[in-house]
């Protein structure tokens, strides 16, 4: 099966298109180069171009003095089969939860003092992980209040909290998030088939997804994202179509379609021989179906990225209703604006540098290390002040 992305190997193909268009190339010139020189299929070329144009329409309203904040919360109910993210079982690491929160508050305070010495505007705040809603409502409120107390958030355009696991959501947490100013949440089923949920290690059912979604709506959330994955082990084309159809029927404001990736550090990678991976042709049909169904349902692709070891060598695509695109997703994927990260696994990326350099500052990934080395973590950020003021 021919690779639809031809000779393009990077994870950010849209960045190539956006850079070309921003440098004066016409759309026709980009199409010709992408298809003839890079050997990318016509379908993927047009997908890339359309996303680039949409992103440029959004990014024109911002400049490099606009930055995002990221808070990494490293806890989940359980680790999914395919997951390699920074996540710790809440049950096994309960003893670190409160210590994590206390040290995160310390890092927030220190980071805010650095940013007060710059002229940067914070336009987006994003809580990821892990699953931030694994924390208690009290802990979430304390962290959010600290952010608003320490940072100038007057110009913030969106505030996202990943409530990805339905088994971490309840009314108290959702009402707390809403009261504290959260504007966007994710509720991520990955599949709408109970048998596949069990295989991938999810401790919830499809009914739980419905109930969590309805609860979020009743709490006033009018910007909800939902994730699904093409190519989950043993999932058939019909089962995947069922997931796409059911998620579309719920009418969330955005839907992200990932392609299965065999990630190092995941249980799936360690026990690859125990699972039947989906055939590349079937994954291709899944991706094609999702594109057609989402466009038909008036969801438009607005960001895209690729990963190593993706089944069929496809891509992950974020779709949204018009006007409901996630600004943070665009800025972090396109590397147009600086991201200041706190918490476990956070990677601060400073892009406002001469010669278009990007500098990174890493936080440790494991919660135990974060708690024990918090002073080192916060002082790693000292260099950010110099970079931001270049």
């Amino acid at each position: 099966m021919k690779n639809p992305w031809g000779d393009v190997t990077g994870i950010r193909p849209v960045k190539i298109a956006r850079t070309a268009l921003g440098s004066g190339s016409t759309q026709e010139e980009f199409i010709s180069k992408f298809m003839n020189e890079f050997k990318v299929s016509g379908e993927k070329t047009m997908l890339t171009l359309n996303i680039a144009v949409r992103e440029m329409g959004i990014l024109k309203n911002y400049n490099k003095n606009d930055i995002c904040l990221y808070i990494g919360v490293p806890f989940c109910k359980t680790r999914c089969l395919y997951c390699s993210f920074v996540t710790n079982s809440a049950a096994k690491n309960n003893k670190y939860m409160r210590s994590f929160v206390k040290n995160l508050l310390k890092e927030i305070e220190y980071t805010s003092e650095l940013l007060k010495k710059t002229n940067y505007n914070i336009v987006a705040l994003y809580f990821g992980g892990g699953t931030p809603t694994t924390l208690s409502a009290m802990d979430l409120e304390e962290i959010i209040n600290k952010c608003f107390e320490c940072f100038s958030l007057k110009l913030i355009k969106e505030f996202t909290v990943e409530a990805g696991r339905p088994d971490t959501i309840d009314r108290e947490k959702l009402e707390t998030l809403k009261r504290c100013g959260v504007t966007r949440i994710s509720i991520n089923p990955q599949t709408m088939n109970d048998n596949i949920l069990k295989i991938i290690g999810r401790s919830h059912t499809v009914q739980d997804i419905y109930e969590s979604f309805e609860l979020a709506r009743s709490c006033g959330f009018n910007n909800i994202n939902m994730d699904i994955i093409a190519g989950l082990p043993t999932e058939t084309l019909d089962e995947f179509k069922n997931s796409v159809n059911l998620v579309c029927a719920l009418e969330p404001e955005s839907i992200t379609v990932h392609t299965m990736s065999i990630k190092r550090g995941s249980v799936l990678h360690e026990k690859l021989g125990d699972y039947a991976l989906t055939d590349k042709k079937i994954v291709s049909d899944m991706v094609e179906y999702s594109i057609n169904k989402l466009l038909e349902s008036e969801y438009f692709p607005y960001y895209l990225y690729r990963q190593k070891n993706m089944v069929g060598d496809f891509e992950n695509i974020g779709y949204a209703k018009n006007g409901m695109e996630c600004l943070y997703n665009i800025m972090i994927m396109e590397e147009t604006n600086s991201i200041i990260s706190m918490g476990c696994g956070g990677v601060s990326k400073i892009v406002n540098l001469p010669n278009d350099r990007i500098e990174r500052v890493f936080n440790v990934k494991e919660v135990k290390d974060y708690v024990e080395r918090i002073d080192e973590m916060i002082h790693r950020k000292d260099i950010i002040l110099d970079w931001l003021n270049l």
Side-chain angles (χ1 to χ4, degrees):
M1 182 177 174
K2 187 178 180 181
N3 184 346
W5 285 102
D7 296 333
V8 173
T9 58
I11 66 174
R12 295 179 172 86
V14 177
K15 191 174 182 179
I16 299 173
R18 189 175 47 76
T19 301
L21 297 177
S23 299
S25 294
T26 65
Q27 293 188 14
E28 291 73 19
E29 287 170 338
F30 166 75
I31 291 170
S32 176
K33 183 172 184 177
F34 222 47
M35 292 183 67
N36 296 325
E37 293 187 27
F38 291 99
K39 305 296 188 297
V40 179
S41 72
E43 179 187 4
K44 299 304 179 188
T45 297
M46 294 310 299
L47 174 65
T48 303
L49 175 63
N50 290 336
I51 292 175
V53 170
R54 183 171 291 271
E55 287 183 345
M56 292 174 74
I58 294 169
L59 291 171
K60 70 180 181 182
N61 299 311
Y62 301 92
N63 59 54
K64 287 192 175 181
N65 279 353
D66 295 319
I67 65 175
C68 303
L69 298 181
Y70 175 85
I71 304 287
V73 179
F75 301 105
C76 259
K77 293 281 285 189
T78 59
R79 179 183 284 275
C80 293
L81 179 70
Y82 49 78
C83 181
S84 65
F85 287 139
V86 182
T87 181
N88 298 267
S89 164
K92 293 181 180 179
N93 291 276
N94 184 60
K95 63 181 178 180
Y96 289 115
M97 279 184 147
R98 190 59 202 160
S99 295
F100 167 77
V101 172
K102 289 181 178 179
N103 285 285
L104 175 60
L105 298 178
K106 184 177 181 179
E107 187 181 11
I108 289 170
E109 288 181 354
Y110 190 87
T111 304
S112 71
E113 291 303 315
L114 292 179
L115 292 184
K116 285 175 184 176
K117 299 173 184 177
T118 74
N119 62 347
Y120 281 76
N121 305 313
I122 299 167
V123 295
L125 176 56
Y126 194 103
F127 280 36
T131 306
T133 44
T134 304
L135 296 175
S136 69
M138 179 186 72
D139 286 339
L140 288 166
E141 185 167 14
E142 188 173 13
I143 296 168
I144 294 171
N145 285 344
K146 179 62 72 173
C147 287
F148 277 89
E149 172 192 325
C150 293
F151 295 108
S152 176
L153 299 176
K154 296 177 182 178
L155 298 178
I156 193 170
K157 301 298 181 183
E158 67 180 26
F159 180 3
T160 298
V161 171
E162 291 186 358
R165 294 283 293 260
D167 46 353
T168 67
I169 300 172
D170 57 34
R171 180 171 290 279
E172 181 187 12
K173 290 180 187 179
L174 289 172
E175 289 179 345
T176 297
L177 295 179
K178 187 66 179 176
R179 183 176 67 251
C180 289
V182 175
T183 61
R184 180 179 182 271
I185 63 171
S186 292
I187 299 174
N188 301 332
Q190 315 301 11
T191 177
M192 295 293 279
N193 299 287
D194 281 325
N195 60 315
I196 306 299
L197 285 172
K198 290 180 181 178
I199 290 172
I200 64 176
R202 289 262 174 160
S203 55
H204 64 81
T205 65
V206 171
Q207 184 58 35
D208 293 330
I209 296 166
Y210 281 119
E211 292 175 1
S212 296
F213 187 88
E214 291 170 5
L215 182 59
R217 286 294 198 219
S218 72
C219 290
F221 284 98
N222 58 8
N223 191 352
I224 300 175
N225 174 75
M226 302 187 82
D227 286 4
I228 52 179
I229 300 176
L232 288 170
T234 78
E235 188 160 53
T236 67
L237 176 59
D238 285 342
E239 286 173 327
F240 177 76
K241 288 181 177 180
N242 178 63
S243 293
V244 175
N245 295 341
L246 292 178
V247 168
C248 283
L250 285 172
E251 298 185 347
E253 283 62 43
S254 57
I255 299 172
T256 307
V257 181
H258 297 269
T259 301
M260 186 67 202
S261 175
I262 315 301
K263 301 173 184 176
R264 284 192 171 192
S266 68
V267 175
L268 179 60
H269 183 269
E270 293 171 0
K271 301 180 178 180
L272 201 53
D274 296 342
Y275 298 93
L277 298 181
T278 310
D279 180 78
K280 291 181 180 180
K281 177 60 171 64
I282 295 176
V283 175
S284 176
D285 292 341
M286 289 176 171
V287 171
E288 182 179 1
Y289 180 82
S290 66
I291 291 173
N292 293 333
K293 176 64 178 179
L294 288 164
L295 289 174
E296 174 190 308
S297 303
E298 298 187 337
Y299 290 94
F300 302 98
Y302 77 96
Y303 84 105
L304 178 154
Y305 68 102
R306 301 176 66 216
Q307 295 172 285
K308 293 181 180 179
N309 303 317
M310 300 184 85
V311 178
D313 205 20
F314 288 98
E315 65 282 325
N316 304 319
I317 307 175
Y319 297 83
K321 297 286 188 180
N322 272 325
M324 304 307 291
E325 300 88 353
C326 176
L327 179 63
Y328 173 84
N329 284 339
I330 295 173
M331 287 183 169
I332 193 170
M333 282 302 151
E334 294 309 303
E335 299 181 322
T336 56
N337 298 72
S338 296
I339 311 291
I340 308 299
S341 297
M342 293 152 281
C344 281
V347 181
S348 295
K349 298 168 67 174
I350 312 303
V351 301
N352 190 12
L353 295 169
N355 303 317
D356 291 324
R357 295 194 337 267
I358 296 176
E359 298 285 358
R360 294 171 172 82
V361 179
F362 296 83
N363 272 12
V364 292
K365 297 180 179 181
E366 295 297 331
V367 63
K368 182 176 182 293
D369 293 335
Y370 179 79
V371 169
E372 293 177 352
R373 298 166 59 188
I374 185 60
D375 289 336
E376 177 190 344
M377 292 306 101
I378 63 176
H379 286 294
R380 282 185 182 183
K381 286 189 167 58
D382 290 343
I383 191 64
I384 288 177
L385 185 60
D386 293 333
W387 289 338
L388 286 175
N389 284 327
L390 279 176

